[in-house]
Amino acid sequence: MKNKWYYGAFILLVIVVGIIYVSSENSVSIEVDKDTKDNVEYNAGAEDNNEEYNTDDEDNNKEDNAEELEKTIYVHICGEVVNEGVYTVKEDSRVYEVLELAGGLTEEAATDYVNLARQVKDGEKIIFPSKEQMETGEFCIDDAEEKLVNINTASIEKLTTLSGIGESRAKLIIDYREEHGDFETIEDIMKVSGIKEGAFNKIKDSIIVK
């Protein structure tokens, strides 16, 4: 009878231990699942925030780039400079900044002739004369500008004074500006039918837009 009592107590103890063990396992599993779920939700939220942040950055960069493109102008610089040509600069740039892009003045340049501090204009042509031209009186701003043909206002007769421009091409130039408005830069003349880069290179030093 005593042995049966011990045997029954032992079985009861095993059952109780088993219940405690199973309960503890379930508790650990629930905790692990909860932590895993929290981590997944946290990571997902972080990814969403990163995507939103990156999207905002990309949009801001696009707007900044668009603004910068809208504020650029074209300036033709020639004469006694190291590298003559048309340069793209910001609309509030000064003459000295364009001159730096052109490599600066040559040794023969008249350094005190052009106002380096003034703001440049879109489509303008800046000529740096030589010392000899200034000393002999061969160059002055009025004469230089009179020799340049303003392609926004020039008549057929004036346009035909340009190299390679006959009456038919002169008429096409006038027809184009009447249809599309004034040329914004001297390079825009290449939008006219029959005037390509070769023809433009022949007249680029003789034309201006105002």
Side-chain angles (χ1 to χ4, degrees):
M1 185 72 179
K2 189 176 182 180
N3 288 337
K4 288 182 179 180
W5 185 84
Y6 281 129
Y7 181 76
F10 176 77
I11 291 174
L12 181 60
L13 180 61
V14 169
I15 292 171
V16 172
V17 170
I19 291 171
I20 293 172
Y21 177 79
V22 170
S23 298
S24 63
E25 282 294 315
N26 289 338
S27 176
V28 170
S29 176
I30 291 171
E31 288 294 326
V32 170
D33 289 343
K34 184 177 182 303
D35 290 342
T36 303
K37 181 180 178 182
D38 290 342
N39 287 334
V40 169
E41 290 177 351
Y42 175 80
N43 291 333
E47 289 177 359
D48 290 341
N49 288 336
N50 286 336
E51 287 179 3
E52 183 177 353
Y53 178 80
N54 292 335
T55 301
D56 290 340
D57 278 350
E58 290 174 2
D59 291 339
N60 289 336
N61 288 336
K62 287 179 181 177
E63 290 176 2
D64 290 341
N65 291 337
E67 263 184 25
E68 187 172 349
L69 288 175
E70 290 174 357
K71 292 181 179 179
T72 56
I73 60 174
Y74 299 90
V75 178
H76 184 195
I77 186 168
C78 59
E80 294 299 329
V81 295
V82 176
N83 297 304
E84 295 182 324
V86 176
Y87 292 90
T88 304
V89 295
K90 293 182 179 179
E91 64 178 355
D92 58 350
S93 296
R94 306 283 176 169
V95 173
Y96 79 89
E97 293 175 305
V98 187
L99 180 59
E100 288 176 357
L101 294 176
L105 296 171
T106 65
E107 293 181 357
E108 291 78 21
T111 56
D112 58 348
Y113 175 72
V114 178
N115 179 7
L116 301 181
R118 73 170 177 82
Q119 285 189 345
V120 296
K121 300 176 183 178
D122 187 33
E124 80 165 303
K125 183 176 184 178
I126 304 172
I127 304 173
F128 286 87
S130 66
K131 297 174 185 176
E132 183 179 352
Q133 287 175 314
M134 296 301 297
E135 289 172 358
T136 59
E138 293 179 5
F139 183 93
C140 70
I141 191 63
D142 293 334
D143 291 342
E145 287 194 348
E146 282 179 7
K147 291 177 182 178
L148 297 177
V149 175
N150 181 3
I151 56 177
N152 282 330
T153 59
S155 63
I156 290 180
E157 291 75 16
K158 189 71 172 176
L159 290 170
T160 54
T161 63
L162 297 170
S163 176
I165 303 297
E167 287 189 12
S168 59
R169 282 189 176 178
K171 188 175 186 308
L172 288 173
I173 292 172
I174 292 175
D175 290 344
Y176 181 90
R177 74 190 187 203
E178 286 178 352
E179 182 179 352
H180 300 281
D182 287 350
F183 297 102
E184 294 184 358
T185 68
I186 59 173
E187 287 77 16
D188 284 344
I189 199 171
M190 288 188 285
K191 296 177 181 178
V192 176
S193 177
I195 301 180
K196 304 302 180 186
E197 188 173 358
F200 170 72
N201 287 334
K202 292 179 181 179
I203 63 174
K204 66 180 182 180
D205 292 333
S206 303
I207 60 176
I208 192 172
V209 292
K210 288 185 178 180

